[in-house]
Amino acid sequence: MAKIIAVFSTKGGVGKTLISTNLAVSLVKDQLKRVCLVDFDLQLPGDMARLLNLVPEKSALDIFAYLKRLSPTQGAIPSQKRYDFLMKASFGLDFLPGILKPQQSSNFESDKIKDVFNFLGKDYDYIVVDVGKSFSESFVGTLNQCNLILLVVTPDILSIYQTRWALDTLQFLQFPLNMVKIVLNRAESISSISLEEIKGTLPVEIITSLTSEGKAVGLSVNSGVPVVLDNPRLKFSLGMKKLSERLASDPKIFIEHKDIDQLKLKETAIEKTGDFWMKFGLVDTPVTSIAEETDEILILKRRIHTRLIEELNIKKLDLKVFSDPAKKKELKNKAEMLVGNLLVEESGMLISSPEVRRKLVKEIIDEALGLGPLEDLLADPEITDIMVNNKDEVYCERKGKIEVTNKKFISNEQVKIIIERIIAPIGRRIDESVPMVDARLPDGSRVNSIIPPLSLGGPTLTIRKFRKERFKVDELIGLKTLSFNMSEFIKACVLTRKNIIISGGTGSGKTTILNVLSAFIPNDERIITIEDAAELKLHQEHWVRLESRSANIEGKGQITIRDLFRNTLRMRPDRIVIGECRGIETLDMLQAMNTGHDGSMTTIHANSTRDVLARLDSMILMSGVELPVRAIREMIASAIDVIVHTARLPDGTRKITEISEVVGMKDEVHVELQNIFAFRQTGIDAQRNILGDFHATGYIPSFVDEMKRRGTALSEEIFRS
């Protein structure tokens, strides 16, 4: 296949078209190579043809049309057929324009550029392409197929400034610097910047310096004869000959390509967009990850990751860098450019697909500077929990169901580094002396991690993602988490200041329901929330948030839920909302509910509404408080009004399965409960989804009359079974 050489500049008038043309001619005349010259400068069509004194009748658009007409079963295309679309110059050069008229530029199909080069490639040693000066889809489409990029520069401030910008942009597009060479034109102009200064400014090799000989070059251009033919002894012509010799004799100067099929990668589609800069990754947009990796790619990523760590000295970086957005962005930009170069250095080839290049660079950067394979999982709004068992086992919960992901870490050490990167900005650490950590991220997500020696299979990490927008009751009704009648009832309970406990298992939606109930609290009340990990999202104006604190590295400074609760009683609260009761603070809460702080709410782990009573008993007794069971249960019966039980069903859905009233003491030792609403399962459909409905039990709560007196009357019809 032909070696494809792209010639471009970001500044007009630097001699790009002249150099493209004469390079192609020199490769034919001086190196005896088969060459096709292609004009893909869609802004200035016709200039190259005039330099060659040619009047072409066909263009790449005709090849597009021809290839579309080909039958999928048709064999190899005869070489003679290719020449039907090309213009042959008298000195042995074949020429193909991209378009014939400026108004045809909108018909140029950038995604067909690869097909054009495949169509031509077998008949030539080199294809020299003038790609213009604007970063466009056709420009990038051509660069994705080329083996060498020649960037034409003149020794003036404006050209060098634009060249630096172009090099940065190429690296953002994951084109490595060692694929780019500088052609310095007009190198001896009187007002030029010195060669040494240019070498110190531009981080790529200057492959040749061409002398400006305006008069002789102008005569050649006007005559329609390339300079290297018209006046081969000019310094310009000798410079072009030297360049063509270098290209013909040094195969290492060309970057080979590796196609997506050769890597055997299955990739998900990138969302299409008409915005060029967004499409090619020059703005921050989500990028889908590679779905499957071959061993070849995994090994390549590991090598690049190791070199990146060494080059940036990441192990010695202050972890505070990762919590400073400006510094982290600066480090990321530097790393992206470096990885783009390392990708070619380590593989020896350029991956043809820009999407795959972007994904590989993103994944390597994520592993080195971000949260590695977790980045995409954290960005997925459908995922609620992420569970890392070890470097090779990463699970997530999506729509209520746990599933294994295709994500893998480079090593268990990398998992540990990611854990440290997560917890360091919040002042926590994890090591052999402190092998467990439970913390909250700045966005509200909860993190739990255990490392060896406690975790035998490697470091483990569990992340409960924090939903940025809270659910509204209407949304939960739409999701069939509860019925409309149930929502009206619990709203009335909040408004009439009933003490409510939300119970359920892990991940059953207790906090979500607590958020929904909290939304019903009137805006003129003073609300104080107490949590281990702040997850509640209230919209009321008069809201004070309190969060417990774990002990520091020295084992000091712990502030418990109980400490906060006792302090809250001195803060003149109208409502106290506790994220979760799990210990001795339960007794304080019950006492507060019994002494005027009605309308309080909390959550508790339990298997049913009746199990809540047993859980409250055990938490109080296990705390060391010596109280008779009867006294505890009388306290529970008088303090709690309503229990709302949530559950995650086998199909992953979350529902309120019971709403019960705590009626009072049934006898001397038993607390009486009465179900008001319940979920009744009726079956399972073909997709294993739970079928069922919400129904009222027929029991009318004892405080319905109180609701009427407080102005929140409910029709007794909603309680009819």
Side-chain angles (χ1 to χ4, degrees):
M1 289 293 288
K3 295 288 188 291
I4 302 172
I5 304 168
V7 184
F8 88 103
S9 68
T10 54
K11 182 175 178 289
V14 298
K16 166 182 58 65
T17 304
L18 177 73
I19 289 169
S20 304
T21 305
N22 282 274
L23 173 60
V25 174
S26 181
L27 284 167
V28 173
K29 171 182 171 289
D30 300 316
Q31 311 306 324
L32 305 178
K33 299 297 183 182
R34 300 170 299 162
V35 180
C36 181
L37 180 62
V38 178
D39 183 8
F40 277 175
D41 187 344
L42 305 184
Q43 292 182 315
L44 298 170
D47 283 6
M48 186 174 282
R50 283 188 284 273
L51 286 180
L52 297 170
N53 200 23
L54 298 175
V55 184
E57 296 180 355
K58 292 187 177 181
S59 69
L61 298 182
D62 296 291
I63 296 180
F64 293 163
Y66 170 72
L67 294 176
K68 285 179 181 177
R69 293 195 300 269
L70 285 180
S71 167
T73 59
Q74 186 167 333
I77 301 168
S79 295
Q80 190 57 43
K81 185 64 182 176
R82 295 186 178 90
Y83 300 134
D84 292 348
F85 301 96
L86 303 172
M87 190 89 182
K88 201 164 193 69
S90 58
F91 38 83
L93 184 75
D94 291 334
F95 175 65
L96 175 69
I99 55 176
L100 299 178
K101 301 174 183 178
Q103 55 267 35
Q104 292 178 324
S105 61
S106 60
N107 299 325
F108 193 88
E109 300 175 73
S110 301
D111 58 342
K112 299 293 191 300
I113 289 173
K114 181 178 179 180
D115 297 333
V116 170
F117 288 135
N118 288 338
F119 181 73
L120 300 173
K122 294 179 182 178
D123 292 331
Y124 298 99
D125 298 309
Y126 299 96
I127 298 174
V128 179
V129 191
D130 182 343
V131 294
K133 63 185 182 67
S134 299
F135 278 82
S136 61
E137 291 190 31
S138 61
F139 173 91
V140 176
T142 303
L143 296 193
N144 280 325
Q145 304 306 317
C146 73
N147 306 98
L148 176 66
I149 300 171
L150 296 180
L151 179 51
V152 181
V153 183
T154 53
D156 60 83
I157 289 291
L158 184 58
S159 178
I160 291 172
Y161 173 80
Q162 291 188 2
T163 301
R164 284 299 302 266
W165 174 84
L167 291 173
D168 287 346
T169 305
L170 286 172
Q171 287 185 92
F172 276 119
L173 295 170
Q174 278 77 57
F175 291 105
L177 286 181
N178 59 357
M179 188 179 181
V180 184
K181 307 297 178 188
I182 296 291
V183 175
L184 185 62
N185 195 20
R186 302 169 194 158
E188 296 180 3
S189 60
I190 297 174
S191 60
S192 67
I193 299 171
S194 72
L195 181 62
E196 294 305 316
E197 287 181 284
I198 295 172
K199 285 181 177 178
T201 304
L202 301 178
V204 293
E205 178 189 352
I206 298 177
I207 196 172
T208 189
S209 297
L210 302 174
T211 303
S212 174
E213 296 179 274
K215 185 176 181 180
V217 170
L219 290 172
S220 174
V221 169
N222 291 335
S223 66
V225 180
V227 180
V228 294
L229 293 178
D230 189 48
N231 201 335
R233 306 193 71 80
L234 278 180
K235 289 183 179 179
F236 176 85
S237 300
L238 294 174
M240 293 305 306
K241 181 178 180 181
K242 185 177 179 182
L243 176 58
S244 68
E245 285 177 353
R246 171 79 185 276
L247 298 180
S249 62
D250 186 5
K252 292 182 180 179
I253 201 171
F254 297 99
I255 301 296
E256 296 298 325
H257 280 249
K258 182 166 283 193
D259 197 72
I260 180 68
D261 295 332
Q262 290 172 278
L263 296 178
K264 298 177 182 178
L265 297 176
K266 292 181 180 179
E267 53 177 328
T268 51
I270 299 266
E271 184 179 353
K272 293 184 177 179
T273 172
D275 187 293
F276 168 79
W277 298 102
M278 183 177 290
K279 181 171 183 178
F280 290 103
L282 297 181
V283 293
D284 291 333
T285 52
V287 180
T288 53
S289 63
I290 296 171
E292 289 186 3
E293 293 177 342
T294 63
D295 290 339
E296 178 185 1
I297 287 299
L298 190 58
I299 292 169
L300 175 62
K301 284 171 62 177
R302 285 174 178 168
R303 289 206 308 266
I304 295 173
H305 179 269
T306 301
R307 286 194 58 184
L308 182 64
I309 296 295
E310 293 172 353
E311 298 262 359
L312 295 181
N313 203 13
I314 290 175
K315 288 185 178 179
K316 294 185 178 180
L317 279 177
D318 187 343
L319 285 172
K320 291 180 181 178
V321 169
F322 297 101
S323 57
D324 184 325
K327 290 181 179 179
K328 186 176 179 181
K329 185 173 179 61
E330 181 183 347
L331 183 63
K332 183 180 177 183
N333 290 342
K334 183 178 179 181
E336 283 179 345
M337 294 182 182
L338 185 56
V339 172
N341 296 328
L342 292 176
L343 197 57
V344 172
E345 286 183 28
E346 289 294 331
S347 67
M349 297 186 180
L350 177 73
I351 295 171
S352 299
S353 167
E355 289 83 5
V356 175
R357 285 204 308 272
R358 285 175 57 207
K359 291 173 186 177
L360 283 174
V361 170
K362 177 184 180 297
E363 290 181 1
I364 293 167
I365 296 295
D366 286 347
E367 286 166 357
L369 303 180
L371 302 183
L374 304 183
E375 291 278 357
D376 293 328
L377 302 179
L378 288 167
D380 189 336
E382 291 188 345
I383 291 175
T384 54
D385 289 82
I386 301 168
M387 294 146 278
V388 180
N389 294 348
N390 54 54
K391 68 181 181 67
D392 296 320
E393 295 179 16
V394 180
Y395 291 81
C396 70
E397 181 183 300
R398 189 193 307 270
K399 296 181 179 178
K401 291 187 177 181
I402 293 178
E403 60 187 53
V404 64
T405 73
N406 57 357
K407 303 294 184 183
K408 292 185 179 182
F409 288 84
I410 290 175
S411 64
N412 278 329
E413 179 62 25
Q414 181 65 13
V415 180
K416 188 170 179 292
I417 289 172
I418 296 300
I419 294 169
E420 290 172 347
R421 195 167 290 161
I422 290 172
I423 65 174
I426 54 179
R428 307 293 293 277
R429 79 171 191 184
I430 190 166
D431 52 34
E432 286 190 9
S433 62
V434 187
M436 292 191 301
V437 68
D438 193 62
R440 178 177 62 86
L441 297 182
D443 71 346
S445 299
R446 289 189 298 186
V447 174
N448 179 275
S449 179
I450 305 178
I451 64 171
L454 300 186
S455 174
L456 302 181
T460 68
L461 175 66
T462 307
I463 300 176
R464 167 68 60 84
K465 286 172 60 179
F466 185 69
R467 191 174 190 266
K468 292 180 174 59
E469 295 297 326
R470 68 177 185 179
F471 280 106
K472 296 180 180 178
V473 69
D474 291 342
E475 291 179 85
L476 295 184
I477 293 171
L479 292 170
K480 297 183 179 179
T481 301
L482 75 168
S483 67
F484 175 76
N485 286 346
M486 293 164 72
S487 72
E488 288 295 294
F489 173 70
I490 59 176
K491 178 180 179 180
C493 289
V494 174
L495 292 174
T496 52
R497 303 182 67 87
K498 294 301 167 186
N499 293 321
I500 302 172
I501 287 183
I502 299 106
S503 62
T506 300
S508 62
K510 298 187 298 297
T511 304
T512 298
I513 299 302
L514 184 57
N515 265 315
V516 168
L517 292 178
S518 300
F520 299 138
I521 299 174
N523 201 43
D524 60 353
E525 294 188 20
R526 176 174 169 83
I527 308 165
I528 299 179
T529 60
I530 306 171
E531 301 174 82
D532 259 338
E535 293 183 281
L536 295 174
K537 296 184 287 287
L538 276 62
H539 289 176
Q540 287 87 343
E541 294 177 3
H542 202 163
W543 172 32
V544 179
R545 305 177 72 188
L546 303 179
E547 185 178 47
S548 64
R549 185 176 70 188
S550 300
N552 60 21
I553 295 171
E554 289 77 28
K556 299 178 180 179
Q558 182 181 23
I559 305 294
T560 66
I561 291 284
R562 187 180 197 192
D563 296 330
L564 293 174
F565 189 89
R566 287 180 169 179
N567 190 74
T568 297
L569 299 177
R570 303 183 182 95
M571 296 173 67
R572 201 269 176 212
D574 286 314
R575 303 266 186 163
I576 300 174
V577 180
I578 303 178
E580 182 177 346
C581 277
R582 61 181 72 176
I584 186 59
E585 68 274 2
T586 305
L587 178 60
D588 297 312
M589 181 199 68
L590 293 175
Q591 288 176 333
M593 287 178 173
N594 273 318
T595 54
H597 292 89
D598 51 356
S600 297
M601 291 178 273
T602 189
T603 70
I604 189 172
H605 280 270
N607 296 321
S608 67
T609 55
R610 297 189 181 280
D611 188 44
V612 170
L613 305 177
R615 286 279 294 148
L616 291 172
D617 278 351
S618 62
M619 283 192 293
I620 294 171
L621 291 171
M622 288 174 65
S623 67
V625 176
E626 295 182 2
L627 284 174
V629 172
R630 178 179 176 181
I632 293 173
R633 292 180 181 172
E634 286 179 347
M635 185 186 303
I636 292 170
S638 60
I640 301 169
D641 298 304
V642 175
I643 300 174
V644 177
H645 186 72
T646 63
R648 181 172 59 178
L649 303 184
D651 62 353
T653 58
R654 294 171 170 87
K655 297 185 186 297
I656 293 178
T657 56
E658 292 177 290
I659 298 178
S660 304
E661 180 189 0
V662 180
V663 179
M665 294 297 294
K666 186 176 183 180
D667 50 43
E668 290 189 356
V669 292
H670 294 98
V671 179
E672 183 178 0
L673 287 182
Q674 287 288 348
N675 277 3
I676 304 169
F677 294 97
F679 175 76
R680 177 173 48 203
Q681 182 177 338
T682 58
I684 301 176
D685 67 13
Q687 288 74 44
R688 309 296 297 174
N689 295 317
I690 301 294
L691 302 176
D693 54 56
F694 298 101
H695 70 283
T697 63
Y699 172 78
I700 299 176
S702 61
F703 46 79
V704 166
D705 290 338
E706 181 187 348
M707 287 180 172
K708 292 177 182 178
R709 291 194 300 272
R710 293 199 178 195
T712 53
L714 287 175
S715 169
E716 293 187 5
E717 288 301 314
I718 71 170
F719 303 114
R720 306 295 183 194
S721 57

